[in-house]
Amino acid sequence: MVSGALPVLLAVASSTINCGAFTAQLRREPGVAAAEHPAPFSRNAGGRTSSSQLASSAVDEATEAEISSILRPSYDIEPIPLRIGHGFDIHRMAPLSEAGQPVVIGGVVIDHKDQKWTDAEGKYTENPGDIYETQLGVVAHSDGDVIYHSLVDAIFGALTLPDIGQVFQDTDPRWKGCDSAKFMEHAYEVMKYYGYKIGNIDVTLILERPKVASFKPRMKENIVRLLRTTEGRVNIKARTHEKMDSVGELRSLSCHVVVTLEKVVGLEDKLEQATIDLGTK
């Protein structure tokens, strides 16, 4: 059941472009009565979800209005028992000096030895296509965490909401170098707001090097913590690309995620169903 207010999308003042200021919390201005601060969604007589106006005073109104409208579709997000979403992300890898940030996957910094990266353009070697041994980093606007980005995309997709790139645009300086755990926190709040919880998560990470087997348990712990679920509902697989194309040449890494969301059945839902059952007898 939908209740309360839509999670804050941007808890940052227009003069503050700082990802650390972003919070995924429910908006409720202190001292404002519920009647004076209407929730942006309410359940109508048909038992579905409809949109209404979102008040905003603590954030950049123009930016929040734009992003909030993305997560307030004109159609009803029906409270069906089970939803399925798929997410995909890919990022370029480059020498750490060029990328400017390390390889972060599932919230874990992937420490590694120098890797045999293919210099396709000949920027660091004598000839294009030569091998250049180097520490790797991920080229991205935020921290380039392909698992977290794919998971957020999958959750939004399951709820029939737009993709992560529309919500957290890579042209917005607020998200420059941002810890993608912030996006995960927000996706969780949106999921909870619509009355869903994680059913299960299946991650397929695709990269040639560095090897990540020893990091997978920590990645799983992070996902379980951020999405308030259990280990038995989260699976992480990793595979190479058999040295083919940009992934096989260590010039990129990618990820696929499939997620199921389960409807959380509250007391009012149970009473409503009981009324329906009685009416059919």
Side-chain angles (χ1 to χ4, degrees), residues 122-190:
K123 293 175 65 176
Y124 302 93
T125 58
E126 184 175 348
N127 302 304
D130 284 352
I131 299 299
Y132 179 63
E133 295 198 17
T134 179
Q135 286 284 300
L136 295 174
V138 173
V139 179
H141 185 65
S142 64
D143 63 4
D145 193 322
V146 292
I147 286 185
Y148 281 3
H149 293 180
S150 297
L151 261 168
V152 172
D153 227 15
I155 291 171
F156 285 170
L159 293 168
T160 72
L161 297 172
D163 61 76
I164 185 175
Q166 288 181 260
V167 180
F168 301 106
Q169 298 180 16
D170 62 8
T171 56
D172 191 332
R174 287 175 171 84
W175 315 129
K176 179 66 176 176
C178 187
D179 180 350
S180 294
K182 298 292 184 179
F183 305 152
M184 288 276 282
E185 290 170 358
H186 182 66
Y188 169 77
E189 292 294 341
V190 171

Side-chain angles (χ1 to χ4, degrees), residues 27-258:
R27 175 185 305 287
R28 179 68 67 185
E29 294 179 29
V32 179
E36 299 172 357
H37 193 100
F41 294 81
S42 61
R43 183 181 291 277
N44 59 26
R48 294 184 180 180
T49 320
S50 59
S51 61
S52 61
Q53 188 173 2
L54 172 64
S56 174
S57 62
V59 297
D60 180 347
E61 292 184 3
T63 305
E64 177 159 331
E66 177 185 355
I67 297 180
S68 293
S69 65
I70 294 173
L71 296 180
R72 295 189 299 159
S74 58
Y75 52 85
D76 293 336
I77 296 181
E78 303 177 22
I80 57 179
L82 182 69
R83 289 179 172 272
I84 301 173
H86 171 262
F88 171 77
D89 194 34
I90 184 169
H91 281 293
R92 188 163 65 89
M93 289 200 297
L96 182 59
S97 59
E98 177 182 335
Q101 58 185 4
V103 178
V104 178
I105 307 174
V108 180
V109 176
I110 308 300
D111 296 320
H112 58 277
K113 299 178 181 179
D114 286 358
Q115 300 293 314
K116 294 181 178 181
W117 178 77
T118 300
D119 186 6
E121 300 176 358
K123 293 175 65 176
Y124 302 93
T125 58
E126 184 175 348
N127 302 304
D130 284 352
I131 299 299
Y132 179 63
E133 295 198 17
T134 179
Q135 286 284 300
L136 295 174
V138 173
V139 179
H141 185 65
S142 64
D143 63 4
D145 193 322
V146 292
I147 286 185
Y148 281 3
H149 293 180
S150 297
L151 261 168
V152 172
D153 227 15
I155 291 171
F156 285 170
L159 293 168
T160 72
L161 297 172
D163 61 76
I164 185 175
Q166 288 181 260
V167 180
F168 301 106
Q169 298 180 16
D170 62 8
T171 56
D172 191 332
R174 287 175 171 84
W175 315 129
K176 179 66 176 176
C178 187
D179 180 350
S180 294
K182 298 292 184 179
F183 305 152
M184 288 276 282
E185 290 170 358
H186 182 66
Y188 169 77
E189 292 294 341
V190 171
M191 173 182 68
K192 185 175 75 170
Y193 182 84
Y194 279 108
Y196 285 88
K197 66 178 182 178
I198 293 297
N200 75 295
I201 293 168
D202 190 26
V203 175
T204 302
L205 176 64
I206 307 170
L207 78 166
E208 197 71 26
R209 292 287 190 280
K211 293 293 186 181
V212 297
S214 63
F215 299 100
K216 284 164 63 177
R218 288 167 57 196
M219 296 177 189
K220 185 170 184 174
E221 288 176 6
N222 289 339
I223 293 171
V224 168
R225 172 177 50 83
L226 289 168
L227 297 181
R228 278 74 156 181
T229 186
T230 60
E231 292 185 358
R233 292 174 179 253
V234 178
N235 186 48
I236 300 176
K237 310 184 300 292
R239 56 159 299 159
T240 69
H241 223 235
E242 301 295 337
K243 300 184 179 180
M244 296 185 292
D245 64 37
S246 64
V247 175
E249 294 176 346
L250 281 66
R251 295 187 293 113
S252 67
L253 74 165
S254 63
C255 181
H256 289 270
V257 168
V258 176

